[in-house]
Amino acid sequence: MIRSALGFDLTAGLTAALAAALAVVSGAAAADALPGPVAQALARAGVPQSAVGLYVQQVDAPRPAAIFNASRPMNPASAIKLVTTFAALDLLGPAYTWKTEAYLLGRLQGEVLDGDLLLKGYGDPKLTIENFWLFLRGLRARGLREIRGELVLDRSFFDVGEHDPARFDGEGLRPYNVGADALLVNYKAVRFFFLPGDAAQGVSVVPEPKLAHLEVASSVALRDGACGDWRAGLKYELQQNGAGARASFSGSMPASCGERVWNLAPLPNNQYVLGVFKSLWQELGGTLAGGVREGRAPAGAKPFAQFESPAAAEVLRDMNKFSNNVMARQIFLTLSAETFKLPGRYDRSARAVKSWLEARHLDLPDLVIENGSGLSRADRISAEGMGRMLVAAYHSAVMPEFIATMPLVAYDGTMRKRMRLESVAGQAHVKTGSLNDVRTVAGYVLDRNGHRHVVVFFVNHPTAHLSQPAQDALLKWVHDVAR
C-alpha cells in the first residue's frame, strides 16, 4: 500500500486526475512548490509567487504536505489574532471572566450617596451598552439612586499611556482604531443613524447610545441620484465646549439610500463613559451631581457591586468571527496583567506570549506581535510558525474552543459571503486578515475523507488585494484532494 504525504491510500481505483493531484500534494513539500490551482490563480491575478508564504499539514502527520516560502517572516494582519486566542485560552482558560466593580466613596443613607461613585475596570472586552446597562441596573437594585459627588474611574489595570487613534492610518474617528482601556465601555463608539424625512425636512441624525453633554446637529439635505458612496457628500465636525461637545453633520445624501448608519468614536474615554453613565443612569431614575475624574479604588475595600463578562471562550468567538481589533487589544493586555500581576502593557504581553510559546516548546524566533490585533505594520510570523502553532493548538485541551472562534467558511463572520457554492462550504474554520498590501488566511480544513488539515496562506505585496481567488483555490484544493 502506497500513501501520499497527506496519508491517503493510492489504490488502483483512483482516477488519473486524482493520482496527478496527489502527486502534486506529495511533491509540494519536497519541491517547495505551490499547488497547481493556487499558482494558476496567482498568475491570473498578477500576484508574484515571491510575495506568498504557504503551509499545509494534516494535523496528525509528522511533516507538512505543502510548503512555499514557509520560513519567511511576513505580516499576518488579523491572522495574528489566532496567536492571541490560543494564548488567552491556554493562559487564562476558556471560563475566564473580566470584572467591572463599583465602590462607594462616601456614606450611603437610604438611596443617597453623600460622596463619589468609583468604577474600576479590569479590561472587559465586551462591556457593551447592553452589559453596562445591566451593571447600572444592578446598582439601582442595591438601593443607590442619587450620587451627590462625582464619577471616579479606576483604569489602573492597564498601563497603555496616550493612544493616538490616527497613528495607524489617519482615520482617528474610526471605531477600529480605538485604543485599549481598562474601563472601555461600548468600544467608545457611537452609531449615528441618518433618518431621511421629506425634501423639506432633510435628514435627521440620531446617536446611539445617547450621550449626556453630546449635542448632535444636522443640516444634511436630500438629493436625487443612486446611493453609491453615500458618505462622500457629507461633512462631520466635532467641537469641544468645556465638559460638553457638539457633533455637526452637513452636506447631502441621496434619498434613494434610505436609512443609513455611520459609526464613529468622537469622544475621549472619560468623557464618553461619563456621557453614557449619565444618560443610562437618568433613564433608570438616578441622578449624578458631579462630573468625572480619575482615581484608585481604596486598598482592601469591598466592592458595592460587581459585573462579570461572558466567559473567554464566548468573548474570543466574538473577537475572531468579526475580527474585532479593539477586543483583541483588551485581551492581549489582559495576558500580561494576569501573568505578571502588573498593569497590562503591550511589551509585557509580548513577553508573556513568547514565554508561553517557549514553555510549549514552540520555537518562533521571528515572531513580532505588537498589540495582539494585527492592526500593525510591525507584526511578523512565518507561515511555518503559524502552521506549527495551529498543529499544537489542535492537540491541546482547548482545541474545541479554539476552532470554534474562527469563521466557518460560507456561513458566518468574515467568511460568510465566500465560497457559498463550493464543496468546502461549511468544511473549514479559518481566520482572515486584511491590510493595505496584506491578505492572509489561516485555520483548518476538513477534507472529503474526514481528515483535518492546517492551512496557512500569507500574501504581502501591493497586489495582495487581488489574491482572494488564490486563497479560495487553496481551501478548495485541500478539501477536494481526496475526491
Side-chain angles (χ1 to χ4, degrees):
M1 180 182 296
I2 303 174
R3 288 186 176 272
S4 74
L6 286 177
F8 304 125
D9 297 340
L10 299 180
T11 63
L14 290 175
T15 64
L18 176 57
L22 289 174
V24 172
V25 180
S26 300
D32 197 24
L34 288 169
V38 178
Q40 293 162 15
L42 289 172
R44 286 192 296 269
V47 179
Q49 293 189 10
S50 60
V52 171
L54 180 145
Y55 188 95
V56 178
Q57 180 174 346
Q58 185 179 323
V59 294
D60 293 320
R63 61 185 63 86
I67 58 174
F68 187 80
N69 288 342
S71 61
R72 172 188 167 195
M74 302 178 73
N75 190 323
S78 280
I80 201 70
K81 287 185 176 74
L82 295 180
V83 178
T84 302
T85 301
F86 187 20
L89 287 171
D90 214 24
L91 291 172
L92 304 177
Y96 178 88
T97 58
W98 287 262
K99 298 180 297 181
T100 305
E101 299 172 337
Y103 293 83
L104 305 183
L105 305 184
R107 185 176 179 184
L108 181 63
Q109 294 181 304
E111 295 184 325
V112 179
L113 172 61
D114 188 13
D116 303 328
L117 176 70
L118 183 143
L119 304 182
K120 180 175 175 61
Y122 290 86
D124 187 348
K126 201 175 179 182
L127 194 57
T128 60
I129 191 69
E130 298 86 355
N131 287 339
F132 195 58
W133 177 84
L134 287 172
F135 178 40
L136 300 191
R137 185 173 179 270
L139 300 183
R140 286 288 290 116
R142 285 167 171 78
L144 177 62
R145 179 182 58 81
E146 180 181 349
I147 305 166
R148 292 182 175 175
E150 295 183 305
L151 185 66
V152 183
L153 308 183
D154 186 341
R155 305 158 59 203
S156 60
F157 194 65
F158 292 162
D159 175 19
V160 292
E162 291 297 322
H163 174 74
D164 178 6
R167 183 177 69 88
F168 181 73
D169 58 5
E171 298 284 349
L173 294 175
R174 299 291 292 273
Y176 65 78
N177 275 322
V178 167
D181 198 287
L183 187 58
L184 184 70
V185 176
N186 202 50
Y187 315 116
K188 214 173 71 172
V190 179
R191 304 185 75 197
F192 290 98
F193 289 84
F194 288 70
L195 309 177
D198 57 33
Q201 293 174 324
V203 180
S204 299
V205 179
V206 178
E208 174 59 36
K210 180 181 179 182
L211 304 178
H213 308 310
L214 176 64
E215 179 186 356
V216 179
S218 171
S219 59
V220 177
L222 290 171
R223 56 182 168 84
D224 296 330
C227 188
D229 184 6
W230 68 276
R231 292 209 307 248
L234 296 177
K235 293 182 180 179
Y236 167 77
E237 183 180 5
L238 180 70
Q239 296 175 323
Q240 294 287 345
N241 181 20
R246 175 185 172 91
S248 301
F249 296 90
S250 60
S252 64
M253 63 178 284
S256 60
C257 291
E259 182 178 321
R260 292 283 160 161
V261 177
W262 190 354
N263 295 313
L264 294 169
L267 298 178
N269 191 69
N270 286 8
Q271 193 174 357
Y272 182 91
V273 174
L274 175 64
V276 173
F277 181 92
K278 291 196 76 167
S279 180
L280 294 180
W281 195 241
Q282 290 168 3
E283 289 179 10
L284 291 166
T287 62
L288 172 67
V292 64
R293 64 180 175 86
E294 293 193 27
R296 293 289 186 96
K302 181 179 179 181
F304 176 67
Q306 178 177 287
F307 182 82
E308 289 194 19
S309 74
E314 179 180 338
V315 172
L316 288 161
R317 280 199 300 274
D318 285 350
M319 178 188 80
N320 279 339
K321 292 287 188 181
F322 298 100
S323 204
N324 190 306
N325 295 308
V326 184
M327 294 178 76
R329 290 174 183 266
Q330 298 284 107
I331 294 164
F332 188 66
L333 287 168
T334 303
L335 296 179
S336 59
E338 291 289 10
T339 298
F340 300 125
K341 304 303 178 185
L342 292 169
R345 275 191 349 210
Y346 291 124
D347 59 334
R348 289 173 180 162
S349 290
R351 291 202 307 270
V353 167
K354 290 188 176 182
S355 295
W356 163 75
L357 288 169
E358 290 172 4
R360 276 197 155 271
H361 305 292
L362 281 167
D363 183 23
L364 303 180
D366 297 317
L367 173 68
V368 177
I369 183 166
E370 184 178 11
N371 57 48
S373 73
L375 202 64
S376 167
R377 296 294 178 190
D379 281 1
R380 291 292 184 274
I381 190 172
S382 66
E384 178 186 10
M386 179 67 77
R388 288 193 290 108
M389 191 208 73
L390 291 173
V391 171
Y394 185 82
H395 293 286
S396 75
V398 296
M399 176 271 287
E401 291 84 1
F402 181 67
I403 294 181
T405 69
M406 302 179 205
L408 180 63
V409 170
Y411 281 88
D412 67 10
T414 56
M415 290 294 297
R416 67 189 181 281
K417 295 182 179 180
R418 287 174 62 174
M419 309 188 78
R420 286 181 171 178
L421 302 179
E422 299 289 350
S423 56
V424 74
Q427 305 301 305
H429 287 82
V430 294
K431 179 75 191 73
T432 59
S434 175
L435 293 173
N436 289 339
D437 302 344
V438 179
R439 291 296 187 276
T440 63
V441 65
Y444 302 93
V445 176
L446 189 69
D447 72 24
R448 287 186 179 275
N449 278 358
H451 300 293
R452 200 174 300 275
H453 308 266
V454 163
V455 175
V456 182
F457 190 40
F458 294 164
V459 182
N460 286 190
H461 193 266
T463 60
H465 63 284
L466 302 174
S467 66
Q468 181 175 311
Q471 293 181 0
D472 294 350
L474 177 64
L475 299 178
K476 188 173 185 298
W477 176 77
V478 174
H479 176 265
D480 289 349
V481 73
R483 185 165 42 191

